[in-house]
Every structure is written in C-alpha cells, then in structure tokens.
C-alpha cells in the first residue's frame, strides 16, 4: 500500500472516522411532457450497500386458470397480459421484502399482437401506468422495450424482467 494512503487511513482511524452511511437511491428524471411526468427515468444511481433483487422474465397467467390455456385469447391482449405479469412481479418482489416502488429497472419483451401486426406499445404502457407514477407509487423506472419475433410460448405477448433495489 502506498505510504501516503496508509498514513491517511491511520490518521482517519485516530480521529474516529467511520464509513459514511449509504446515500439513498437517486432517480434521475426526464422532463415532463404535456404537463405529465415522464413515464420513465433517464437513469438510476444505486449506492454501495444497497440490496438488489433481480427478477427473471415473467409471463402472464391464464385469465381463467381452471381452463386449459391454448390460445392468445386465454391470456388476453397485450394490456391484459402486462397487467397479469406486473401483478405476478408485485407478488414476487413483495415476497422478498421489496415493493413496486423499489423497482428501478424494467425490460419489456413484446411479441407482435396478431391483430395489429406489431407490438402493442400503447397496451403495455396502459398497464404500466396503473403501477408507476400513481398515488400508491409515485416512482417510475429506467426502462427498455424490445419487439421480439416470439416469446417462450406462442400465446404470450409480454415478458417483463425487473431489478429492484433499496437502501436498508
């Protein structure tokens, strides 16, 4: 170790210096558009010492779990599938002691809706806006969305993975 660094550390220890507590998570926002807060963040800074939860990609559950799910209609349109998936994610993060407000990063994988011939970005955003930038959760997330040719099964239109972080 460098003599200057070592002597500085010794001096700090002699003064009773301790490591500074971890700062909070910083959510760097985008400017509001048309008087509405931005849907997503520009970026997020997570300090050392924060705990992090990585949730694998989740898919929608069937609308009626008592029936066999064999068509897209059994899972619903993009908005319905996104709502189902976000509710599943909510249960997962809560089971690990986190909240939806702790989610900092979201990645969306969207298959083309056969009725539209492309991904239904409006549908997924409508579902997203029921969980973020709302009175129960004023936070939003850094987010990416990708149209993919297909997901794990032919009836899925939405897969979402998230990262949550919090300072204890």
């Amino acid at each position: 170790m460098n003599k200057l660094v070592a002597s500085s550390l010794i001096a700090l220890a002699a003064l009773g210096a301790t490591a500074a507590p971890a700062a909070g998570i910083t959510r760097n926002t985008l400017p509001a558009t048309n008087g509405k807060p931005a849907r997503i963040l520009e970026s997020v800074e997570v300090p050392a010492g924060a705990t992090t939860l990585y949730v694998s990609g989740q898919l929608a559950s069937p609308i009626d779990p008592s029936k066999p799910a064999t068509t897209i209609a059994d899972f619903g349109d993009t908005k319905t599938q996104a709502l189902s998936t976000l509710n599943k994610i909510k249960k997962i993060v809560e089971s690990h002691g986190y909240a939806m407000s702790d989610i900092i990063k979201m990645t969306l994988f969207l298959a083309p809706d056969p009725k539209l011939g492309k991904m239904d970005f409006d549908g997924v955003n409508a579902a997203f806006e029921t969980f973020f930038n709302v009175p129960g959760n004023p936070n939003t997330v850094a987010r990416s969305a990708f149209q993919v040719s297909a997901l794990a099964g032919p009836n899925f239109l939405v897969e979402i993975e998230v990262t949550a972080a919090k300072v204890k």
Side-chain angles (χ1 to χ4, degrees):
M1 183 181 316
N2 170 318
K3 286 183 182 181
L4 178 60
V5 171
S7 60
S8 296
L9 290 174
I10 292 168
L12 285 173
L15 293 172
T18 59
I25 293 170
T26 303
R27 296 168 188 271
N28 302 308
T29 59
L30 289 166
T33 310
N34 299 325
K36 291 174 59 177
R39 181 175 287 128
I40 63 173
L41 296 172
E42 181 253 3
S43 59
V44 177
E45 297 174 68
V46 178
T51 59
T52 309
L53 176 69
Y54 300 92
V55 179
S56 295
Q58 299 297 310
L59 300 164
S61 298
I63 294 170
D64 183 351
S66 68
K67 296 183 353 187
T70 58
T71 68
I72 288 176
D74 294 326
F75 293 91
D77 62 9
T78 298
K79 180 180 178 183
T80 303
Q81 288 196 28
L83 285 168
S84 172
T85 304
L86 288 166
N87 277 310
K88 189 183 286 187
I89 288 168
K90 183 176 190 279
K91 287 179 186 171
I92 292 168
V93 297
E94 288 176 351
S95 75
H96 292 282
Y98 292 77
M100 292 297 277
S101 59
D102 294 320
I103 294 175
I104 58 166
K105 175 70 171 100
M106 178 181 291
T107 305
L108 304 165
F109 302 95
L110 305 169
D113 181 326
K115 294 177 185 171
L116 300 175
K118 62 179 184 172
M119 69 178 177
D120 180 5
F121 201 56
D122 290 337
V124 79
N125 279 335
F128 177 86
E129 291 172 350
T130 66
F131 289 88
F132 300 94
N133 277 338
V134 294
N137 177 15
N139 292 335
T140 191
V141 300
R143 189 179 84 172
S144 301
F146 302 93
Q147 179 172 314
V148 296
S149 60
L151 292 168
N155 301 318
F156 296 112
L157 300 174
V158 177
E159 182 172 344
I160 302 173
E161 63 183 29
V162 301
T163 302
K166 64 181 178 176
V167 177
K168 290 190 175 191

